[in-house]
Structures are given as structure tokens and as C-alpha cells.
Amino acid sequence: MEKELFILLCPPTGEVLKLFGIQNNWLYNTIKSIREKTDRDILIRFKIYDFMTEKRRKYFSRLQKTFGNIYFQREITEADLIPLFDKCYSVVAPASGVGVIAASHGIPVFSESFGPVSSISLHDYSLINNPIYPDRDKWLNLILGHEFTLEDIYTGNWLVRLKQIYPKELKRILDEDINLFHEQGQKL
């Protein structure tokens, strides 16, 4: 891949395609829409089982020949995913946890209207050159409210998990709270 920032594309699995009625040709159509607007490298992150059949491998090869500058990566852990964000221009994920993690790191996300990041993302992939950077605080609070159980909160596991998944966002929030605390203390 080139040194320029790339687009991380996370196609839906067969189960998501069926559940939400997404067209089987979503990947082809999405790449086509993106390619009409940019020639940035595209890194496609697949689930491991998507590489298991010869038919799928041939399809991926045809995508590379048709659109160029397309690279593939098998699914990796969240910890391995986060360093990619330093080189990531945006994430295209219709309904993916990757979109949540990317958004929490300040990466612009493109998703479908039913995805977990839909309220802070664009849904028109042809706008890839015009990503948005909305305030994510309300959205992050909502996501975190759905992420953790009362047991997580009582045991402190929520903070351990936040440090692993959202280190930049957590640091920003804590820094803001510390600054606010100091400002309020000076007024007393």
C-alpha cells in the first residue's frame, strides 16, 4: 500500500446481509462508488471464514483487477486494529463494531442507516472525499451505556475495557474533567 492514508472497508457478513436485507453485491457496488470519487488505497478487512473458499478468493482477485489499489486483510484483534487508525482516512462499515472503535478514535465513518454509528456517520459512500467530524460525546455515552453491565461498573471492568478499546477518547475525557475540576477549584 502507498504511504497516503487509506480507506478501511469492512464488508458485512452473510448473516448481516440477510438480517438487514443488504444486497449481495454490496461490496462491489460500494467499491465502485468509492472509486468514482477517489483512488485512495482500500484495505478490505474480512472475517477469516471469508477466505475459505476458492470461489471467494477468485472474487477478491477480480475486485483487485477491476478496481486496483485494493488490499485484503483477514480479521485481526481490536488491539491490532487500533494502530491502523494512524494511517486510516476513513472507515466504511455498514453495521460493524469496527465502525464503533474507529469513531471512538476520531476516524470518520461511513455506515448504513441501521448501523451502530449511523447518527455520527454519512450513509452515502460517494461522499468519501467529504467526511464529517461530528461531536461524538453524546453518541459515545449512549454506546457505553449499552456496552457495560452493572457488574462491569461495580467491579471496575468497564475502565479496564475502556483503556483497551478507547485509549485516546478516554484520555481526552479525563483531561477535560481534570481541567474542569481545576477551573471549578480556582473559583472556590
Side-chain angles (χ1 to χ4, degrees), residues 29-44:
N29 290 339
T30 299
I31 295 172
K32 183 179 178 194
S33 179
I34 291 170
R35 271 294 171 254
E36 290 171 356
K37 301 297 177 183
T38 183
D39 63 351
R40 286 184 185 277
D41 288 348
I42 298 174
L43 176 62
I44 302 175

Side-chain angles (χ1 to χ4, degrees), residues 44-188:
I44 302 175
R45 180 181 182 261
F46 285 104
K47 299 288 185 185
I48 291 172
Y49 54 79
D50 275 336
F51 278 95
M52 293 190 147
T53 67
E54 185 63 27
K55 182 179 176 182
R56 293 294 282 173
R57 284 192 290 273
K58 285 180 181 179
Y59 177 66
F60 300 151
S61 179
R62 282 195 316 268
L63 287 175
Q64 283 179 313
K65 289 175 185 171
T66 303
F67 296 109
N69 296 353
I70 294 178
Y71 305 90
F72 301 100
Q73 182 179 51
R74 293 182 182 173
E75 183 177 36
I76 55 177
T77 66
E78 290 173 358
D80 295 330
L81 181 66
I82 292 169
L84 287 177
F85 293 148
D86 290 337
K87 302 173 202 104
C88 188
Y89 172 75
S90 65
V91 170
V92 177
S96 171
V98 175
V100 172
I101 296 168
S104 71
H105 284 269
I107 305 296
V109 180
F110 291 79
S111 77
E112 297 293 331
S113 60
F114 53 79
V117 295
S118 65
S119 65
I120 58 164
S121 67
L122 292 174
H123 311 297
D124 182 350
Y125 303 134
S126 71
L127 297 173
I128 197 74
N129 287 323
N130 301 303
I132 59 172
Y133 297 85
D135 181 358
R136 293 176 161 101
D137 287 349
K138 286 183 183 177
W139 167 82
L140 190 58
N141 287 335
L142 178 68
I143 291 293
L144 295 177
H146 289 90
E147 177 86 13
F148 301 108
T149 64
L150 285 175
E151 182 178 342
D152 290 332
I153 293 168
Y154 292 139
T155 62
N157 287 339
W158 68 275
L159 188 56
V160 171
R161 184 97 168 111
L162 279 179
K163 286 179 182 177
Q164 292 171 342
I165 301 175
Y166 311 113
K168 289 181 183 177
E169 190 64 20
L170 182 61
K171 181 181 179 338
R172 183 188 64 78
I173 291 168
L174 291 175
D175 287 348
E176 286 176 5
D177 286 348
I178 289 169
N179 289 337
L180 182 62
F181 175 76
H182 287 297
E183 287 172 11
Q184 290 176 347
Q186 290 173 355
K187 291 178 184 175
L188 294 176

